[in-house]
Amino acid sequence: MKKLYILLTLCMLMLGANDGFAQRSRYNKHHSKHRTQRVVSKHKKGKKTKKRAVAQYRPDPRLLTDPNYDPFLQCEDTCSHVHGIDLSHYQGEVFWETVGENTKMAYVYLKATEGGDRIDAQYERNIDLAHRHGLKVGSYHFFRPKTPVLTQLENFMTQCRPGEQDLIPMIDVETTGGLSSEEFCDSLYAFLDLIEEAYHQQPLIYTFRNFYNKHLVGKINDYKLMIAMYTEEEPILADGRDITMWQYTSHGRIVGIRGSVDKSRFMGNHGLREIRFNHIRHVGKNVSFFDVRKGVGK
Protein backbone atom coordinates (compact mmCIF):
# COMPACT_ATOMS: atom_id res chain seq x y z
CA MET A 1 0.00 0.00 0.00
CA LYS A 2 2.82 2.38 0.83
CA LYS A 3 4.40 1.81 -2.61
CA LEU A 4 1.03 2.32 -4.33
CA TYR A 5 0.51 5.59 -2.43
CA ILE A 6 3.96 6.89 -3.49
CA LEU A 7 3.26 5.91 -7.11
CA LEU A 8 -0.09 7.75 -7.14
CA THR A 9 1.55 10.85 -5.59
CA LEU A 10 4.23 10.93 -8.30
CA CYS A 11 1.58 10.61 -11.04
CA MET A 12 -0.37 13.56 -9.59
CA LEU A 13 2.78 15.71 -9.43
CA MET A 14 3.64 14.92 -13.05
CA LEU A 15 0.13 15.77 -14.20
CA GLY A 16 0.29 19.06 -12.30
CA ALA A 17 3.65 19.91 -13.86
CA ASN A 18 2.38 19.19 -17.36
CA ASP A 19 -0.67 21.32 -16.77
CA GLY A 20 1.52 24.18 -15.51
CA PHE A 21 3.79 23.87 -18.54
CA ALA A 22 0.78 24.00 -20.86
CA GLN A 23 -0.50 27.13 -19.13
CA ARG A 24 2.89 28.85 -19.43
CA SER A 25 3.09 27.91 -23.11
CA ARG A 26 -0.35 29.43 -23.77
CA TYR A 27 0.61 32.54 -21.80
CA ASN A 28 3.89 33.02 -23.67
CA LYS A 29 2.28 32.44 -27.03
CA HIS A 30 -0.42 35.01 -26.27
CA HIS A 31 1.88 37.65 -24.82
CA SER A 32 4.80 37.33 -27.26
CA LYS A 33 2.61 39.06 -29.89
CA HIS A 34 2.49 42.18 -27.76
CA ARG A 35 5.91 42.08 -26.13
CA THR A 36 7.49 44.60 -28.54
CA GLN A 37 4.55 46.99 -28.16
CA ARG A 38 4.47 47.33 -24.40
CA VAL A 39 6.81 48.69 -21.80
CA VAL A 40 5.91 47.94 -18.20
CA SER A 41 6.28 51.00 -15.99
CA LYS A 42 7.84 50.89 -12.55
CA HIS A 43 5.48 49.66 -9.84
CA LYS A 44 3.98 52.81 -8.45
CA LYS A 45 0.45 53.43 -7.26
CA GLY A 46 -1.72 55.19 -9.78
CA LYS A 47 0.61 54.33 -12.69
CA LYS A 48 -0.81 52.52 -15.68
CA THR A 49 1.09 50.44 -18.20
CA LYS A 50 2.64 52.66 -20.86
CA LYS A 51 2.50 51.72 -24.52
CA ARG A 52 5.36 52.32 -26.93
CA ALA A 53 4.45 53.52 -30.36
CA VAL A 54 5.38 50.92 -32.97
CA ALA A 55 7.50 52.33 -35.80
CA GLN A 56 5.73 51.93 -39.11
CA TYR A 57 7.29 51.75 -42.57
CA ARG A 58 6.80 54.91 -44.56
CA PRO A 59 7.75 54.64 -48.24
CA ASP A 60 9.80 57.33 -49.93
CA PRO A 61 7.15 59.76 -51.30
CA ARG A 62 8.92 59.71 -54.66
CA LEU A 63 7.86 56.08 -55.04
CA LEU A 64 4.27 57.30 -55.07
CA THR A 65 4.67 60.43 -57.18
CA ASP A 66 7.43 59.64 -59.68
CA PRO A 67 6.88 56.49 -61.79
CA ASN A 68 10.50 56.62 -63.00
CA TYR A 69 12.09 56.85 -59.54
CA ASP A 70 14.45 53.98 -58.68
CA PRO A 71 15.64 53.96 -55.02
CA PHE A 72 18.59 51.74 -55.96
CA LEU A 73 20.09 54.24 -58.39
CA GLN A 74 23.24 55.96 -57.18
CA CYS A 75 24.89 59.19 -58.28
CA GLU A 76 27.30 57.41 -60.61
CA ASP A 77 24.34 55.78 -62.36
CA THR A 78 22.68 59.07 -63.22
CA CYS A 79 25.46 61.43 -64.35
CA SER A 80 28.54 61.54 -66.54
CA HIS A 81 31.02 62.85 -63.94
CA VAL A 82 34.15 60.90 -62.98
CA HIS A 83 33.55 59.06 -59.71
CA GLY A 84 35.80 57.55 -57.06
CA ILE A 85 36.07 56.46 -53.46
CA ASP A 86 38.31 56.89 -50.44
CA LEU A 87 39.13 54.10 -48.03
CA SER A 88 40.92 53.37 -44.78
CA HIS A 89 41.22 50.46 -42.37
CA TYR A 90 37.62 51.12 -41.29
CA GLN A 91 36.41 49.24 -44.38
CA GLY A 92 38.40 46.16 -43.36
CA GLU A 93 39.60 43.76 -46.02
CA VAL A 94 38.52 44.95 -49.46
CA PHE A 95 37.93 42.55 -52.37
CA TRP A 96 39.80 44.60 -54.95
CA GLU A 97 39.19 42.23 -57.84
CA THR A 98 35.47 42.85 -57.45
CA VAL A 99 35.90 46.60 -56.93
CA GLY A 100 38.12 46.79 -60.01
CA GLU A 101 35.34 45.36 -62.12
CA ASN A 102 33.15 48.35 -61.21
CA THR A 103 34.16 50.60 -64.10
CA LYS A 104 32.18 53.51 -62.62
CA MET A 105 34.87 53.97 -59.94
CA ALA A 106 37.88 55.52 -61.72
CA TYR A 107 40.05 56.42 -58.72
CA VAL A 108 40.62 55.76 -55.05
CA TYR A 109 42.27 57.79 -52.29
CA LEU A 110 43.73 55.60 -49.55
CA LYS A 111 44.44 56.71 -46.02
CA ALA A 112 48.17 56.39 -45.45
CA THR A 113 48.86 58.16 -42.17
CA GLU A 114 47.49 60.37 -39.39
CA GLY A 115 49.33 62.87 -37.25
CA GLY A 116 52.91 62.06 -36.28
CA ASP A 117 52.83 58.32 -35.69
CA ARG A 118 49.70 56.61 -36.97
CA ILE A 119 49.94 54.41 -40.06
CA ASP A 120 46.82 52.90 -41.60
CA ALA A 121 46.94 49.15 -41.12
CA GLN A 122 45.43 48.37 -44.54
CA TYR A 123 47.43 50.88 -46.59
CA GLU A 124 50.17 48.61 -47.95
CA ARG A 125 47.70 45.91 -48.98
CA ASN A 126 45.20 48.38 -50.42
CA ILE A 127 47.64 50.31 -52.59
CA ASP A 128 49.18 47.15 -54.01
CA LEU A 129 45.86 45.50 -54.91
CA ALA A 130 44.16 48.71 -56.09
CA HIS A 131 46.96 49.14 -58.64
CA ARG A 132 46.75 45.51 -59.71
CA HIS A 133 43.08 45.87 -60.49
CA GLY A 134 43.27 49.03 -62.53
CA LEU A 135 42.32 51.94 -60.27
CA LYS A 136 44.15 55.27 -60.23
CA VAL A 137 45.49 55.61 -56.69
CA GLY A 138 46.33 58.53 -54.43
CA SER A 139 47.23 58.69 -50.73
CA TYR A 140 46.01 60.98 -47.97
CA HIS A 141 47.17 62.15 -44.57
CA PHE A 142 44.88 63.16 -41.70
CA PHE A 143 46.28 66.46 -40.44
CA ARG A 144 46.67 67.07 -36.68
CA PRO A 145 47.34 70.82 -36.17
CA LYS A 146 49.00 70.47 -32.75
CA THR A 147 51.48 67.79 -33.87
CA PRO A 148 54.83 69.15 -35.13
CA VAL A 149 54.61 69.45 -38.92
CA LEU A 150 58.04 67.89 -39.56
CA THR A 151 57.00 64.84 -37.57
CA GLN A 152 53.82 64.57 -39.64
CA LEU A 153 55.74 64.95 -42.89
CA GLU A 154 58.18 62.20 -41.92
CA ASN A 155 55.29 59.90 -41.07
CA PHE A 156 53.54 60.57 -44.38
CA MET A 157 56.68 60.18 -46.49
CA THR A 158 57.38 56.72 -45.06
CA GLN A 159 54.12 55.52 -46.66
CA CYS A 160 53.32 57.86 -49.56
CA ARG A 161 56.16 56.98 -51.93
CA PRO A 162 56.14 58.96 -55.21
CA GLY A 163 56.70 55.93 -57.43
CA GLU A 164 53.43 54.37 -56.23
CA GLN A 165 51.22 57.43 -56.74
CA ASP A 166 48.90 58.11 -59.67
CA LEU A 167 47.27 61.11 -57.97
CA ILE A 168 48.63 64.08 -56.04
CA PRO A 169 48.70 63.72 -52.23
CA MET A 170 45.55 64.70 -50.38
CA ILE A 171 45.53 66.36 -46.94
CA ASP A 172 42.47 65.66 -44.80
CA VAL A 173 41.70 68.82 -42.80
CA GLU A 174 38.81 68.41 -40.36
CA THR A 175 39.89 69.78 -36.98
CA THR A 176 41.61 72.81 -35.46
CA GLY A 177 42.89 70.66 -32.59
CA GLY A 178 41.60 73.27 -30.16
CA LEU A 179 43.80 76.01 -31.63
CA SER A 180 42.55 79.43 -32.61
CA SER A 181 41.83 79.87 -36.33
CA GLU A 182 45.04 81.89 -36.71
CA GLU A 183 47.22 79.29 -34.97
CA PHE A 184 45.53 76.48 -36.86
CA CYS A 185 46.11 78.19 -40.22
CA ASP A 186 49.77 78.86 -39.40
CA SER A 187 50.27 75.16 -38.68
CA LEU A 188 48.41 74.16 -41.85
CA TYR A 189 50.39 76.58 -44.04
CA ALA A 190 53.66 75.20 -42.71
CA PHE A 191 52.61 71.63 -43.40
CA LEU A 192 51.33 72.38 -46.92
CA ASP A 193 54.62 74.09 -47.76
CA LEU A 194 56.54 71.02 -46.60
CA ILE A 195 54.34 68.68 -48.64
CA GLU A 196 54.80 70.79 -51.77
CA GLU A 197 58.55 70.90 -51.21
CA ALA A 198 58.76 67.13 -50.72
CA TYR A 199 56.50 66.09 -53.62
CA HIS A 200 57.12 69.06 -55.97
CA GLN A 201 53.41 69.72 -56.48
CA GLN A 202 50.58 71.15 -54.46
CA PRO A 203 48.40 68.68 -52.59
CA LEU A 204 44.64 68.39 -52.85
CA ILE A 205 42.85 69.57 -49.70
CA TYR A 206 39.86 67.66 -48.33
CA THR A 207 37.55 69.34 -45.84
CA PHE A 208 33.89 69.79 -44.95
CA ARG A 209 31.92 72.74 -46.29
CA ASN A 210 31.06 74.13 -42.87
CA PHE A 211 34.64 73.75 -41.66
CA TYR A 212 35.91 75.60 -44.72
CA ASN A 213 33.38 78.40 -44.27
CA LYS A 214 34.36 78.84 -40.63
CA HIS A 215 38.15 78.58 -40.79
CA LEU A 216 39.49 78.58 -44.34
CA VAL A 217 37.67 81.21 -46.40
CA GLY A 218 40.27 83.19 -48.34
CA LYS A 219 43.15 81.19 -46.79
CA ILE A 220 43.89 78.43 -49.32
CA ASN A 221 42.83 79.91 -52.65
CA ASP A 222 45.71 78.34 -54.58
CA TYR A 223 44.79 74.77 -53.68
CA LYS A 224 42.37 72.35 -55.30
CA LEU A 225 39.53 71.31 -53.00
CA MET A 226 37.53 68.18 -52.32
CA ILE A 227 34.52 69.33 -50.30
CA ALA A 228 32.46 66.90 -48.22
CA MET A 229 28.76 67.64 -47.92
CA TYR A 230 26.18 64.87 -47.72
CA THR A 231 23.10 66.37 -49.33
CA GLU A 232 21.43 66.12 -52.73
CA GLU A 233 22.41 69.71 -53.52
CA GLU A 234 25.90 70.49 -54.75
CA PRO A 235 28.04 72.39 -52.21
CA ILE A 236 28.54 76.14 -52.53
CA LEU A 237 31.23 77.78 -50.41
CA ALA A 238 30.79 81.07 -48.59
CA ASP A 239 33.33 82.79 -50.84
CA GLY A 240 31.88 81.19 -53.97
CA ARG A 241 35.22 79.72 -55.03
CA ASP A 242 35.60 76.81 -57.42
CA ILE A 243 35.39 73.25 -56.10
CA THR A 244 37.30 70.52 -57.92
CA MET A 245 35.69 67.49 -56.27
CA TRP A 246 32.66 66.75 -54.11
CA GLN A 247 32.37 63.91 -51.61
CA TYR A 248 28.62 63.51 -51.73
CA THR A 249 28.03 60.56 -49.42
CA SER A 250 29.62 58.62 -46.58
CA HIS A 251 27.11 55.78 -46.96
CA GLY A 252 27.85 54.57 -50.46
CA ARG A 253 27.67 50.90 -51.36
CA ILE A 254 30.00 48.98 -53.65
CA VAL A 255 30.17 45.25 -54.29
CA GLY A 256 33.45 44.05 -52.82
CA ILE A 257 33.45 46.41 -49.82
CA ARG A 258 31.69 45.55 -46.58
CA GLY A 259 29.62 48.34 -45.06
CA SER A 260 29.57 51.98 -46.11
CA VAL A 261 32.15 53.78 -48.21
CA ASP A 262 32.81 57.45 -49.00
CA LYS A 263 32.06 58.33 -52.62
CA SER A 264 33.11 61.44 -54.50
CA ARG A 265 32.99 62.89 -58.00
CA PHE A 266 34.47 65.72 -60.00
CA MET A 267 32.50 68.93 -60.29
CA GLY A 268 31.57 70.59 -63.58
CA ASN A 269 34.20 70.06 -66.25
CA HIS A 270 36.95 69.05 -63.82
CA GLY A 271 38.59 65.67 -64.38
CA LEU A 272 41.34 63.25 -63.44
CA ARG A 273 44.02 65.05 -65.48
CA GLU A 274 43.96 67.88 -62.92
CA ILE A 275 45.05 65.71 -60.00
CA ARG A 276 47.49 63.38 -61.73
CA PHE A 277 50.80 62.97 -59.93
CA ASN A 278 53.51 64.67 -62.00
CA HIS A 279 56.43 62.25 -61.90
CA ILE A 280 58.53 64.37 -64.29
CA ARG A 281 59.06 66.89 -61.49
CA HIS A 282 60.76 64.17 -59.45
CA VAL A 283 63.35 63.23 -62.09
CA GLY A 284 66.82 63.83 -60.64
CA LYS A 285 65.45 65.28 -57.39
CA ASN A 286 64.39 62.42 -55.11
CA VAL A 287 64.16 64.71 -52.10
CA SER A 288 64.04 62.84 -48.79
CA PHE A 289 62.59 63.93 -45.48
CA PHE A 290 66.07 64.82 -44.29
CA ASP A 291 66.63 66.99 -47.38
CA VAL A 292 63.38 68.84 -46.67
CA ARG A 293 64.38 69.38 -43.04
CA LYS A 294 67.69 70.87 -44.20
CA GLY A 295 65.97 73.09 -46.76
CA VAL A 296 67.24 71.25 -49.86
CA GLY A 297 65.08 71.51 -52.98
CA LYS A 298 63.80 75.03 -52.45
Side-chain angles (χ1 to χ4, degrees):
M1 288 296 293
K2 185 175 181 180
K3 290 183 179 179
L4 181 60
Y5 175 77
I6 293 173
L7 182 62
L8 288 173
T9 302
L10 288 173
C11 289
M12 291 177 66
L13 288 172
M14 291 176 66
L15 287 172
N18 287 335
D19 184 59
F21 175 79
Q23 290 183 28
R24 286 195 299 273
S25 298
R26 287 194 298 271
Y27 176 86
N28 291 336
K29 184 177 180 180
H30 173 73
H31 287 273
S32 63
K33 297 179 181 179
H34 308 286
R35 193 172 296 158
T36 58
Q37 300 180 19
R38 297 195 301 177
V39 177
V40 179
S41 63
K42 294 181 179 179
H43 298 289
K44 293 182 179 180
K45 291 184 178 180
K47 292 280 186 177
K48 295 183 178 180
T49 301
K50 296 180 180 179
K51 291 186 178 180
R52 178 187 298 163
V54 179
Q56 296 183 350
Y57 168 72
R58 289 188 175 87
D60 190 311
R62 288 173 292 185
L63 288 171
L64 305 176
T65 59
D66 184 355
N68 297 316
Y69 175 65
D70 182 351
F72 296 101
L73 282 178
Q74 300 182 70
C75 180
E76 63 269 20
D77 299 315
T78 61
C79 73
S80 59
H81 299 102
V82 179
H83 288 74
I85 54 178
D86 65 80
L87 297 175
S88 71
H89 65 278
Y90 289 113
Q91 277 73 38
E93 186 173 325
V94 175
F95 297 92
W96 284 105
E97 183 176 0
T98 305
V99 175
E101 293 172 356
N102 184 350
T103 56
K104 294 175 183 176
M105 295 296 117
Y107 64 87
V108 56
Y109 265 102
L110 301 172
K111 184 176 182 180
T113 50
E114 177 176 338
D117 56 5
R118 295 187 184 181
I119 293 173
D120 193 273
Q122 291 291 326
Y123 178 76
E124 292 287 352
R125 179 182 185 276
N126 282 341
I127 196 168
D128 177 44
L129 294 179
H131 273 133
R132 288 192 197 182
H133 295 290
L135 282 88
K136 299 299 182 185
V137 183
S139 305
Y140 77 89
H141 173 81
F142 190 99
F143 178 63
R144 292 289 182 185
K146 295 178 76 172
T147 301
V149 292
L150 280 171
T151 304
Q152 295 195 66
L153 176 67
E154 181 179 21
N155 189 29
F156 188 50
M157 290 183 71
T158 61
Q159 301 302 304
C160 181
R161 295 176 284 272
E164 299 176 342
Q165 309 304 309
D166 300 306
L167 311 176
I168 59 177
M170 183 168 75
I171 309 304
D172 185 342
V173 184
E174 299 183 30
T175 176
T176 63
L179 301 177
S180 67
S181 290
E182 184 178 358
E183 291 173 318
F184 155 70
C185 286
D186 286 343
S187 178
L188 178 61
Y189 293 154
F191 186 66
L192 295 177
D193 285 345
L194 289 174
I195 289 292
E196 186 173 353
E197 189 174 339
Y199 292 97
H200 311 295
Q201 50 211 301
Q202 288 184 328
L204 173 70
I205 295 180
Y206 167 95
T207 191
F208 286 84
R209 183 195 62 171
N210 291 344
F211 189 89
Y212 176 90
N213 288 342
K214 185 174 181 180
H215 300 288
L216 295 170
V217 169
K219 305 290 180 60
I220 49 174
N221 292 339
D222 294 335
Y223 293 88
K224 296 178 177 65
L225 297 176
M226 180 191 286
I227 294 296
M229 188 179 80
Y230 308 140
T231 66
E232 293 184 0
E233 296 181 0
E234 294 184 357
I236 298 176
L237 301 178
D239 54 5
R241 65 161 294 187
D242 184 54
I243 298 171
T244 303
M245 302 163 77
W246 169 30
Q247 187 183 92
Y248 55 87
T249 183
S250 61
H251 294 288
R253 296 285 180 176
I254 291 181
V255 177
I257 300 177
R258 297 188 185 96
S260 300
V261 61
D262 297 336
K263 288 184 177 181
S264 58
R265 70 166 175 83
F266 283 89
M267 297 282 284
N269 295 321
H270 292 293
L272 269 174
R273 66 188 181 280
E274 301 174 46
I275 61 168
R276 287 189 182 277
F277 193 99
N278 191 333
H279 292 275
I280 296 176
R281 295 182 182 180
H282 274 270
V283 175
K285 293 185 179 180
N286 296 321
V287 178
S288 69
F289 163 74
F290 300 101
D291 293 327
V292 174
R293 186 169 60 179
K294 294 175 183 178
V296 177
K298 289 186 178 180

